Amino acid sequence: MNLAESIQQGDRRALARGLTLVENETPEGVALLAALGSGGTAHRIGITGPPGAGKSTLVSALIAAWRATNATVGVLAVDPSSPFTGGALLGDRIRMLAHTADEHVFIRSLASRGALGGLAAGVYNAADLLDAAGFDPVLLETVGVGQGEVEICRAADTTVVVLAPGSGDIVQGMKAGLLEIADILVINQADREGADALEAALQSAVELRDAVAPPIVRTIATRGEGVPELRALLDERAAAGAEVLAARRLERARARLRAAADRHRAEAFWTSHGEALETAAVEVAEGRLSAAAAVSRLLEDERR
Ligand SMILES: Nc1nc2c(ncn2[C@@H]2O[C@H](COP(=O)(O)OP(=O)(O)OP(=O)(O)O)[C@@H](O)[C@H]2O)c(=O)[nH]1
Ligand SMILES: [Mg+2]
């Protein structure tokens, strides 16, 4: 049996191997995705928000809710390389361990390799593979602190932004552009002081958006409270949102093609002009040439 067939049979070791291949965009990975067909039917849900908001706890509670109705759930947790969140990973693993014995749940941590374009492509491919392997929904957990994470959320059909009272989350969230990308806003840790204030702040912030204001849901992930409501909103979107999701998918396909073409072009460029870069770098370092002029020259060389 080949790898694609093993994955279709539900072989988890084969799936893990396949994920490594597609994540790194190896030729075998490309062939594997082609052999499996594109999938494209799973609801891809991005869960993002500031560090410690309770994303992993919420993901775990959502898994339990979906498992109760026999859904098969895939999770991609994008490990942040940032040192102040790195410590939470072990906790994540332990929390999620509750589900790892379940053959209808597949959880994978994707390492952040620094290069954002590359990481985003790896996440898209991994989501494709889980989708093609029959997981639905596919969840993507990322820490929403910067543009890179926002980028990864484009891999999702639906983006859930998780905030918690206090700790200036709202300000942080706005800075990272989180409110603009939210399809659903979650106020987690609603048992803590400041939930009302956060909700009021969110209400007035989302009213300023051009688009339809996203629903706001309160949860206490540790106790599973509010999770059925959140799940209902997600299922509703998956069921009724064919047009919404189609538009999102088209946007995603465009972004992926663009990124792939950019990478391809850049690679071809540096393969043929690598030496010219070195020469120009020396001139820029010695102050004989501005960086902008160096770039113009490299591009001109390419046209010849
Ligand atoms: N009081 C309270 N604590 C919560 C709630 N949800 C999560 N927590 C706690 O908040 C802490 C952080 O939760 P995580 O689920 O690890 O948060 P996270 O957003 O995944 O964190 P990072 O992955 O590090 O960004 C943990 O100690 C949780 O037990 C909640 O609803 N109420
Ligand atoms: Mg987490």
Side-chain angles (χ1 to χ4, degrees):
M1 214 188 309
N2 66 32
L3 192 58
E5 283 163 352
S6 302
I7 289 171
Q8 274 160 340
Q9 302 285 315
D11 179 337
R12 299 171 73 86
R13 293 238 308 269
L15 181 56
R17 226 174 80 224
L19 279 169
T20 304
L21 294 175
V22 302
E23 208 192 318
N24 295 311
E25 295 205 293
T26 62
E28 297 97 311
V30 174
L32 176 62
L33 283 173
L36 283 170
S38 58
T41 52
H43 187 196
R44 300 178 190 197
I45 303 167
I47 311 268
T48 192
K55 298 176 294 297
S56 299
T57 314
L58 198 58
V59 165
S60 208
L62 279 169
I63 293 173
W66 269 304
R67 287 304 299 131
T69 51
N70 290 320
T72 300
V73 188
V75 180
L76 297 171
V78 181
D79 283 8
S81 50
S82 144
F84 70 102
T85 50
L89 285 175
L90 185 61
D92 283 358
R93 296 242 165 75
I94 291 166
R95 255 192 306 285
M96 288 190 169
L97 215 56
H99 300 289
T100 50
D102 183 340
E103 61 170 311
H104 296 287
V105 177
F106 193 91
I107 298 167
R108 165 87 158 203
S109 283
L110 298 182
S112 170
R113 282 183 303 261
L116 276 173
L119 174 65
V123 174
Y124 289 153
N125 293 340
D128 280 351
L129 187 62
L130 288 181
D131 185 343
F135 291 87
D136 187 8
V138 173
L139 307 181
L140 305 160
E141 182 195 333
T142 68
V143 178
V145 286
Q147 206 48 49
E149 286 75 18
V150 171
E151 187 72 24
I152 289 166
C153 274
R154 288 226 185 89
D157 299 315
T158 298
T159 299
V160 177
V161 171
V162 183
L163 300 170
S167 69
D169 269 9
I170 175 87
V171 179
Q172 204 179 357
M174 285 169 86
K175 250 195 269 168
L178 286 183
L179 297 192
E180 283 94 89
I181 60 166
D183 297 304
I184 297 172
L185 279 165
V186 170
I187 297 175
N188 187 44
Q189 309 198 11
D191 53 324
R192 286 184 37 211
E193 215 186 293
D196 289 338
L198 177 57
E199 182 159 355
L202 284 177
Q203 284 289 8
S204 49
V206 296
E207 275 163 21
L208 298 174
R209 283 197 347 175
D210 298 332
V212 184
I216 299 175
V217 193
R218 287 193 187 210
T219 58
I220 303 172
T222 38
R223 293 188 223 142
E225 284 179 33
V227 173
E229 287 78 2
L230 175 58
R231 187 212 153 152
L233 279 175
L234 289 167
D235 286 352
E236 208 175 277
R237 225 180 115 83
E243 287 140 62
V244 184
L245 299 191
R248 193 64 70 86
R249 281 168 185 165
L250 181 61
E251 195 184 308
R252 181 164 76 219
R254 212 178 274 135
R256 287 180 77 170
L257 290 180
R258 193 184 283 263
D262 286 353
R263 278 200 308 282
H264 185 80
R265 286 292 301 266
E267 219 172 273
F269 181 81
W270 294 124
T271 306
S272 53
H273 292 87
E275 271 170 48
L277 171 70
E278 279 313 304
T279 317
V282 171
E283 288 177 62
V284 172
E286 290 175 354
R288 287 186 277 128
L289 188 69
S290 76
V295 170
S296 298
R297 195 176 76 193
L298 285 170
L299 290 176
E300 233 163 73
D301 287 351
E302 188 191 26
R303 269 183 229 114
R304 271 186 220 129

